[in-house]
Amino acid sequence: MSTAERLVESTRELLWERGYAATSPKAIQQRAGAGQGSMYHHFTGKHDLALAALTRTAEEMRAKAEAQFSAPGGAAERIDAYLRRERDVLKGCPVGGLTQDADLMADPALRAPVQETLAWLRGRLAEVLEQGRASGELAAALDPQATAATIVAVLQGGYVLARAADSAAPFDQAITGVLGLLAAHTTTADA
């Protein structure tokens, strides 16, 4: 891994663990095993490096989600796979958790990857739900936009509940609950 890659990966980890304000250039350099000169050779500073790290985290999150959203199967099955995929629940969402970082959210450039990724997630979920409505799998009365927003809110809230309880159980319960609500809007083939 190149020095620039180590710096970006170290920044990604530190942002997830500590947030923007608590991530110092020195901590990034130490974790990456890189000197100050190397950091400033590749990046103009902490802000530039954080933006590269946030962009990569957002791209990775989208790619992982898209793997489930574009997989074969019905809409409910694909959403179930997305919500139940393996996650480090107690660490929180690497993108959504950053919304609690006041310094990051106050910076339009740093906020953009977070904002865009959560908007993409709501939009992509709405598309999958609309596909389910169009195929007859989901009830015509289901509102894809509102349901997608609910799913994202439950997912992000599940992380918060799990972290507060220091247990994945509240997250699992929230996911089971939202999937139960979605199941109530599925149609049956023999109905």
Side-chain angles (χ1 to χ4, degrees):
M1 189 181 295
S2 72
T3 301
E5 286 296 311
R6 288 195 323 269
L7 287 163
V8 170
E9 287 304 311
S10 296
T11 304
R12 289 178 65 193
E13 293 168 6
L14 288 165
L15 287 174
W16 195 7
E17 293 168 13
R18 302 178 182 182
Y20 183 71
T23 298
S24 69
K26 185 174 183 168
I28 294 167
Q29 293 161 18
Q30 287 175 339
R31 185 163 295 189
Q36 183 176 1
S38 293
M39 181 176 155
Y40 290 102
H41 172 74
H42 295 288
F43 302 94
T44 60
K46 174 182 166 180
H47 185 274
D48 186 36
L49 185 49
L51 185 57
L54 288 168
T55 300
R56 180 165 305 157
T57 298
E59 289 168 353
E60 184 179 282
M61 184 176 152
R62 288 180 190 191
K64 285 181 180 178
E66 188 56 40
Q68 276 91 33
F69 296 151
S70 61
E77 180 183 2
R78 290 181 282 149
I79 291 170
D80 185 284
Y82 167 70
L83 292 174
R84 293 190 190 274
R85 80 166 188 233
E86 189 173 327
R87 292 175 162 82
D88 194 347
V89 173
L90 295 181
K91 281 183 78 176
C93 177
V95 172
L98 295 172
T99 63
Q100 300 304 308
D101 188 320
D103 291 336
L104 192 142
M105 290 288 100
D107 184 307
L110 296 177
R111 184 179 63 242
V114 174
Q115 195 173 28
E116 290 164 5
T117 300
L118 292 173
W120 175 87
L121 182 57
R122 287 190 318 273
R124 193 64 183 93
L125 278 164
E127 289 173 9
V128 173
L129 291 163
E130 182 54 45
Q131 292 167 3
R133 273 187 5 164
S135 73
E137 174 192 356
L138 298 173
L142 180 110
D143 180 335
Q145 297 293 329
T147 304
T150 300
I151 291 169
V152 173
V154 169
L155 178 64
Q156 294 301 317
Y159 282 119
V160 171
L161 295 173
R163 290 187 71 167
D166 195 28
S167 167
F171 179 89
D172 295 338
Q173 187 177 31
I175 297 307
T176 298
V178 78
L179 288 171
L181 293 172
L182 184 59
H185 291 280
T186 59
T187 60
T188 58
D190 55 0

